[in-house]
Amino acid sequence: MSFFCFDHNINKTSIESEFQHQRSFLYGDGHFTTMKVVDGLIQFFSAHLARLQQANERLDFNDINWKLLELELRKLAVQMELGFIKVHFSRGHSVRGYGQCANINTNIFVSSDELSAPFIKETQQPKPIALTQLTTQLGLQPLLAGIKHCNRLEQVLASVELEKTIFTDGLVADINGNLIETTKANVIWYQEGSWYTPLLSNAGVSGVILNQLLEYNNIITIEKNINDVIQQAEAVFICNSLIGIQAVSSIDDRLFNTELSSQLMRKIIL
């Protein structure tokens, strides 16, 4: 694994002596994205950069040199056959207190490593996955909804619950019972001739792959109770930047038609 730290002008720097003062570490005051690299190229790179820029704006971070960051990431990716690059923004250094943010310069942390099985180069051919329904629920906060911010405690709690089961991922609802996502992926389901995905205006992460699917396919965003989705869906998919698109074979004791899933996945435009 490689790890680099940059200042806001994308100069390499070391913050070992002051890492404990980074606001991302202290308060979760940061955001990140994880990009898949295939044969030296970052998949959906422009969408990942746009995600970082949008999060910077919504969280009111001070600006950075985006052109130089792009060049550094491309140089890093060239060395990789199948791997990932994680880009993590921290608002910067803070001695104490939540405020005093106006004059802080952003720090960027970049880590990368190779990917091995079950990850593959293709975006639509992972083996179907069995999910479970989790009881951990997500709170409602429209100011943060959609952003991959660094305060991931809800996902940690859901993952702790998941690790007590035999499943590798599970569905999570908000406190109103509406389906939002899995512990690490977005959800899309097929019902009566239409595609649906949860509305993420109050909770959840708006993933890069999900946004690509929303742009090029006729998918309806909707608020819907998690139990109704499980009982009424004909096919279910999950997606994120590392797995691509993956069919769901079952959710607990509810089975889905994986042949239908395969037919539908071949029609998806990415």
Side-chain angles (χ1 to χ4, degrees), residues 190 195 233-235 237 256-267:
Y190 185 80
W195 297 92
E234 300 166 53
F237 308 91
F256 297 96
N257 186 334
T258 54
E259 185 176 334
L260 174 61
S261 297
S262 297
Q263 293 173 2
L264 293 170
M265 287 173 69
R266 285 195 290 269
K267 298 177 182 178

Side-chain angles (χ1 to χ4, degrees), residues 165-233:
T165 75
I166 61 171
F167 298 90
T168 57
D169 204 357
L171 294 180
V172 182
D174 65 19
I175 58 174
N176 291 328
N178 294 313
L179 175 61
I180 298 296
E181 57 198 8
T182 77
T183 64
K184 49 182 169 275
N186 291 116
V187 182
I188 298 165
W189 71 94
Y190 185 80
Q191 180 183 339
E192 297 180 349
S194 296
W195 297 92
Y196 297 92
T197 194
L199 182 67
L200 301 178
S201 57
N202 289 311
V205 174
S206 183
V208 165
I209 298 298
L210 174 64
N211 286 325
Q212 295 295 305
L213 293 172
L214 289 172
E215 183 173 354
Y216 298 110
N217 302 271
N218 186 21
I219 300 174
I220 301 166
T221 57
I222 187 175
E223 274 190 343
K224 191 156 187 175
N225 182 273
I226 187 171
N227 295 311
D228 291 341
V229 173
I230 293 171
Q231 294 304 316
Q232 297 172 14

